Amino acid sequence: MDTSATFWLPPPSSTVAGETDGLFYAIFYITTFFFLLIVGLATYFTIKYRRTEANANEPMEVVHSSHLLEAAWILIPLGIVMVLFVLGFKGYLRQSIVPAEAAQVKVTGQKWFWSFDYPEGASTVNELVAPVGRPIKLLMSSKDVIHSFYVPAFRIKKDVLPNRYGIGWFEATNTGVYDLFCAEYCGSKHSQMIGKVRILSEQDYKTWLEDASDPGKGLTPVEFGAKLFQMKACNTCHTIDGTASNGPSMKGVFGHEAALANGSKVLVDENYIRESILVPAAKVVAGYQPIMPTFQGILKDKEIDALVAYIQSLGAK
Ligand code: CUA
């Protein structure tokens, strides 16, 4: 299989990518050929048969149609599109039917991030980790609006809908890190709903899974909280150095009062942090929009405890 990037797409890195690219280029070159042929002939005939002073008074020629020519321009394109249809339909079936031996990952889309749950109990945010050379079934759903799971290197794009499961699969052919996009306009931060797919060797995947299934192993609550702050992508909106971002910085907030958007004040303590993680819109800090998603069902109690401990540790000014 060709492994180079093209003008259109990154290097093909899944088992279906070669087939998809083959069909894409076939359609591309066939349509380019006919575009040039038709536009070229139209231009040529326009010039050749244009009205000039010499032929202005000649009577119009009566042209009788050729059945052979008509049959040709019906049957040749029909043959071409039928071949493309059959190849396309076969590819569609191949991409729709999940191999029986596939391992399953639950994919959840919500404004504006992706989360992944693995059968062994691990979960990740904005990064899907998978082994190379093994089919992975994606069981996908959305918590709010329609998103679309798009990994250009794998040539897969599947809508992720609320209230029903979508199903997709891929089998990566190379280890590496690949871009993941949301390909369905889903609100103001749609363009930031991006992530990575990290493909590991079988051995590295096993090691990763062991660690990811118990991410707090051997860590103090504060260390675990610091790790989660990155892992769960809290750091995309909250800094720890005092600069404001999409959300307030976490530096030095613990144990202090915060002014709220509704004009009242709240003491930033364990309960306020917990509430803000689970019901972010309940008490929004003044000067910020209520854009934070809920982490209800995403974070376990132990993880919330660790995040509270970590934010508390940033409280010392
Ligand atoms: Cu989610 Cu666009």
Side-chain angles (χ1 to χ4, degrees):
M1 185 166 52
D2 183 18
T3 52
S4 54
T6 68
F7 175 74
W8 307 103
L9 287 164
S13 305
S14 77
T15 50
V16 299
E19 195 178 323
T20 305
D21 286 8
L23 194 56
F24 172 77
Y25 284 110
I27 293 171
F28 177 73
Y29 288 120
I30 289 168
T31 49
T32 304
F33 171 77
F34 280 104
F35 173 76
L36 293 176
L37 181 74
I38 291 164
V39 173
L41 283 176
T43 309
Y44 171 71
F45 289 145
T46 306
I47 295 165
K48 182 170 158 90
Y49 297 109
R50 74 189 186 283
R51 184 186 162 106
T52 60
E53 274 183 15
N55 67 14
N57 297 317
E58 275 177 27
M60 201 112 73
E61 211 176 312
V62 177
V63 181
H64 293 282
S65 60
S66 152
H67 290 306
L68 191 67
L69 195 59
E70 281 179 12
W73 78 48
I74 291 169
L75 294 177
I76 293 172
L78 182 69
I80 293 172
V81 294
M82 286 315 288
V83 169
L84 293 177
F85 166 72
V86 170
L87 292 175
F89 191 60
K90 277 171 114 173
Y92 172 78
L93 288 180
R94 199 149 107 87
Q95 294 196 20
S96 302
I97 300 168
V98 182
E101 72 278 17
Q104 179 173 303
V105 175
K106 175 75 198 349
V107 178
T108 307
Q110 71 190 89
K111 295 180 194 174
W112 282 278
F113 64 96
W114 299 101
S115 48
F116 304 98
D117 292 285
Y118 303 80
E120 294 79 1
S123 63
T124 54
V125 170
N126 280 342
E127 186 184 57
L128 170 60
V129 183
V132 70
R134 241 207 284 164
I136 305 294
K137 174 182 173 181
L138 304 167
L139 185 65
M140 305 187 288
S141 63
S142 165
K143 285 201 171 176
D144 37 51
V145 299
I146 302 176
H147 303 277
S148 185
F149 184 89
Y150 179 35
V151 183
F154 297 166
R155 313 296 192 255
I156 58 165
K157 187 192 276 173
K158 287 270 172 189
D159 276 5
V160 178
L161 306 157
N163 302 321
R164 63 178 283 190
Y165 290 121
I167 289 168
W169 74 279
F170 67 86
E171 181 180 331
T173 51
N174 309 302
T175 57
V177 178
Y178 304 98
D179 288 320
L180 159 66
F181 296 105
C182 176
E184 182 73 54
Y185 182 69
C186 54
S188 60
K189 296 207 176 204
H190 156 71
S191 64
Q192 287 171 39
M193 193 169 165
I194 47 183
K196 296 285 178 197
V197 180
R198 187 148 58 100
I199 301 298
L200 302 174
S201 69
E202 195 69 38
Q203 188 53 48
D204 287 351
Y205 181 70
K206 228 180 238 169
T207 314
W208 173 83
L209 204 54
E210 267 166 31
D211 182 48
S213 304
D214 188 6
K217 201 167 136 190
L219 299 177
T220 67
V222 173
E223 287 168 345
F224 185 31
K227 187 172 172 183
L228 287 168
F229 201 74
Q230 311 277 333
M231 266 175 66
K232 303 298 177 184
C234 312
N235 59 345
T236 52
C237 292
H238 299 286
T239 70
I240 54 164
D241 63 3
T243 44
S245 178
N246 291 325
S249 173
M250 293 294 113
K251 187 185 177 188
V253 292
F254 197 91
H256 296 263
E257 279 197 331
L260 299 182
N262 65 10
S264 63
K265 284 186 168 186
V266 69
L267 176 68
V268 181
D269 60 5
E270 291 89 342
N271 281 314
Y272 176 62
I273 293 172
R274 183 184 164 82
E275 181 186 50
S276 295
I277 291 171
L278 298 177
V279 194
K283 293 176 188 136
V284 178
V285 172
Y288 296 95
Q289 297 297 313
I291 53 170
M292 178 166 156
T294 173
F295 283 81
Q296 187 100 51
I298 293 174
L299 293 172
K300 301 181 187 82
D301 279 345
K302 211 174 94 180
E303 295 174 320
I304 295 174
D305 295 346
L307 282 166
V308 169
Y310 174 59
I311 292 167
Q312 187 170 10
S313 79
L314 300 169
K317 281 193 181 175

